[in-house]
Amino acid sequence: MTYLNRQENLDWLWQWKDQPLLKVVTGVRRCGKTALFSMFQDALLEQGTEKKQIISMDLESPDFDNLTDFQALNQYLEKQISPQQKYYVFLNELHHVQVWERSAAWLLSLGNCDVYVSMSCNWECSEKEKSLLGKEAVCLELFPLSFREFQGHQDQGGETASPAEAFEKYLSDSSFPYVVRHDYSGQEAAEYLSGLYYTIMLNDVVKRQKVADAGMLEAIARLLMTEMGNRTSPAAIANALTAKGQKIDQKTVDRYLHGLTESRLFYEVRRYHIKNRQLLTTMNKFYLCDPAFGNMLVKSGEKRKASILENVVFLELKRRYPEVYNGQLGASGEIDFVALRNGRPVYFQVAESTADEKDLLEKLTPLQQIRDNYPKYLLTMDEGEEDFDGILRLNILQWLVE
């Protein structure tokens, strides 16, 4: 099987190879986790690793339906492992195993196993996980293809589309690897996305969170897509749905939102108070893992283009920075995104165009009000670069492929 080139993610696996740490790859279903492991395994074989040294399991496969807890998994693996041999162990969708951390900890304790796991959900190495693992872990969050990866595949296929044409295809057809690898477009892409969307909703939200009302969950998801880029809260969502005759309480909305974000179908972007450098607890934003889901499920309209661009920029920032927030400036001011690395902020505003003076001022003024010397960017679809007293306006397409 041929795979799409995802060299940066492969480099991450090589960086941590043979380190006595658990390697965790997370991300929305079908974003390429299994393919990434397969590429890494092929590379290991090319470098002289024997096939018998690689143990690879998909815990969602019916073949392993009986391995539902760590004790059963450990017993199975114990039969595959010899103390005299080095092993590379790949456990896909390990979150299906109860107290899976115990299995990972046991494998690491053997001293001859390099352990890699994947999960179609959000995961962080909290103090609880550290205590169960007994060791540290490193985590890579994998996303569907970036525009740079997407355009690279288009170029390799001999397509001669302009960057703007490629970007429109990227937004409309999907950034999921399967769609791109098979060159799906139009109806084929829409059918794949539809099937994937409902698979995520059923397997990764309804079943995992024990959702009682799948119809209400769907209503919340569609509302988030419609209001993408706007600040909201569980209370605001509950009020909006109740006003439409779909009565639901705030606590249930909060639980359903947790399921949607845990599955990585959506990302919640918290507010960050720029002056106080503190995270705020209410009125956050939500973005999709792939804007094409919104194009498929929400009626089109010109006013959605700005929020779609915000979505793309947010995902790219997540790839580049460990922390990404929505900036709160004073009582009512807003910066689209504040990206942090080692406590140092970088500020981003996003607009489809700032050719109109009013639109330009609307985006520039909040950035000008920030009294520090950290980088500030205005990303638009306008051609060329321009410097506004230290605030750099860049073309989104050029920025995406940097």
Side-chain angles (χ1 to χ4, degrees):
M1 179 184 292
T2 57
Y3 299 105
L4 298 175
N5 181 17
R6 309 201 73 174
Q7 192 58 48
E8 289 183 13
N9 300 309
L10 269 176
D11 290 344
W12 185 88
L13 293 178
W14 284 113
Q15 174 188 346
W16 294 106
K17 174 180 174 287
D18 293 327
Q19 298 295 319
L21 304 166
L22 178 66
K23 276 71 76 171
V24 183
V25 178
T26 68
V28 67
R29 182 180 293 269
R30 302 290 180 262
C31 70
K33 300 182 294 295
T34 302
L36 180 65
F37 281 175
S38 295
M39 285 189 283
F40 188 52
Q41 291 163 27
D42 289 346
L44 288 172
L45 293 171
E46 289 176 5
Q47 290 200 355
T49 301
E50 295 183 40
K51 195 170 183 178
K52 66 181 181 181
Q53 292 178 262
I54 297 175
I55 299 173
S56 183
M57 300 171 62
D58 179 0
L59 276 304
E60 276 196 336
S61 169
D63 295 339
F64 303 115
D65 276 348
N66 59 322
L67 305 182
T68 57
D69 61 65
F70 76 93
Q71 293 168 320
L73 178 58
N74 289 1
Q75 289 172 5
Y76 175 87
L77 288 168
E78 193 170 15
K79 297 175 183 177
Q80 318 298 316
I81 294 172
S82 168
Q84 290 77 36
Q85 185 74 63
K86 169 76 175 183
Y87 293 94
Y88 295 92
V89 183
F90 298 85
L91 303 174
N92 293 287
E93 307 299 347
L94 186 57
H95 56 282
H96 289 293
V97 175
Q98 294 180 20
V99 201
W100 62 265
E101 295 92 344
R102 294 285 180 85
S103 288
W106 172 72
L107 286 168
L108 290 169
S109 72
L110 297 178
N112 63 337
C113 293
D114 196 17
V115 186
Y116 303 80
V117 308
S118 75
M119 294 183 283
S120 293
C121 62
N122 182 35
W123 184 81
E124 296 179 359
C125 192
S126 66
E127 291 303 318
K128 176 184 176 182
E129 273 71 33
K130 287 179 184 178
S131 65
L132 287 170
L133 288 169
K135 289 180 178 288
E136 292 283 353
V138 289
C139 185
L140 169 69
E141 183 162 15
L142 195 62
F143 299 85
L145 300 180
S146 68
F147 181 59
R148 182 173 61 241
E149 291 170 324
F150 177 88
Q151 196 174 32
H153 174 75
Q154 300 288 101
D155 292 343
Q156 288 176 1
E159 297 193 24
T160 57
S162 68
E165 290 170 334
F167 190 59
E168 286 303 314
K169 182 176 175 62
Y170 178 74
L171 295 181
S172 62
D173 290 340
S174 177
S175 59
F176 274 94
Y178 191 89
V179 172
V180 177
R181 184 160 59 87
H182 290 276
D183 293 319
Y184 286 170
S185 61
Q187 187 61 31
E188 286 181 320
E191 288 177 0
Y192 175 83
L193 278 181
S194 178
L196 176 58
Y197 173 77
Y198 288 108
T199 298
I200 294 170
M201 290 287 274
L202 177 62
N203 290 342
D204 302 328
V205 186
V206 173
K207 289 183 179 178
R208 196 176 298 168
Q209 301 295 328
K210 296 180 173 57
V211 171
D213 190 341
M216 188 63 77
L217 174 70
E218 173 75 7
I220 292 172
R222 287 179 182 258
L223 181 62
L224 292 179
M225 292 180 199
T226 304
E227 297 296 320
M228 192 167 62
N230 295 329
R231 290 173 173 175
T232 190
S233 67
I237 293 170
N239 291 339
L241 291 174
T242 300
K244 294 179 181 180
Q246 297 174 289
K247 190 172 182 180
I248 186 171
D249 62 80
Q250 180 179 334
K251 288 184 178 179
T252 303
V253 171
D254 191 46
R255 187 163 63 86
Y256 286 7
L257 288 175
H258 177 75
L260 290 169
T261 55
E262 278 291 298
S263 71
R264 282 324 201 206
L265 179 61
F266 286 90
Y267 285 85
E268 184 175 12
V269 186
R270 294 183 63 184
R271 282 191 303 147
Y272 174 84
H273 197 288
I274 292 171
K275 183 178 180 180
N276 297 339
R277 298 195 175 189
Q278 292 179 338
L279 288 177
L280 304 175
T281 57
T282 60
M283 300 305 291
N284 299 325
K285 292 189 175 188
F286 292 84
Y287 293 102
L288 281 160
C289 64
D290 182 348
F293 281 129
N295 291 333
M296 177 185 70
L297 294 165
V298 177
K299 292 181 180 179
S300 61
E302 286 299 319
K303 63 181 181 180
R304 290 196 68 245
K305 187 60 180 280
S307 63
I308 292 171
L309 291 175
E310 278 187 29
N311 200 150
V312 172
V313 169
F314 164 73
L315 292 172
E316 186 61 29
L317 289 173
K318 285 286 288 181
R319 294 182 182 98
R320 300 184 187 188
Y321 293 88
E323 299 176 74
V324 183
Y325 304 109
N326 172 232
Q328 180 68 45
L329 190 63
S332 58
E334 179 180 346
I335 300 295
D336 290 329
F337 300 111
V338 181
L340 297 177
R341 179 179 284 113
N342 298 324
R344 297 176 178 270
V346 183
Y347 306 102
F348 295 87
Q349 292 278 63
V350 183
E352 184 176 2
S353 173
T354 55
D356 184 279
E357 188 70 18
K358 179 182 177 182
D359 294 332
L360 178 61
L361 286 175
E362 182 181 326
K363 288 296 182 178
L364 278 182
T365 301
L367 290 171
Q368 292 167 338
Q369 292 173 350
I370 301 174
R371 304 303 181 187
D372 64 36
N373 295 318
Y374 291 109
K376 302 172 181 68
Y377 297 99
L378 171 56
L379 304 178
T380 78
M381 293 295 289
D382 300 324
E383 294 294 331
E385 297 182 9
E386 192 166 356
D387 190 317
F388 299 93
D389 295 325
I391 299 170
L392 192 60
R393 181 172 68 183
L394 302 176
N395 175 263
I396 287 178
L397 301 188
Q398 293 177 347
W399 177 77
L400 286 170
V401 298
E402 283 180 350

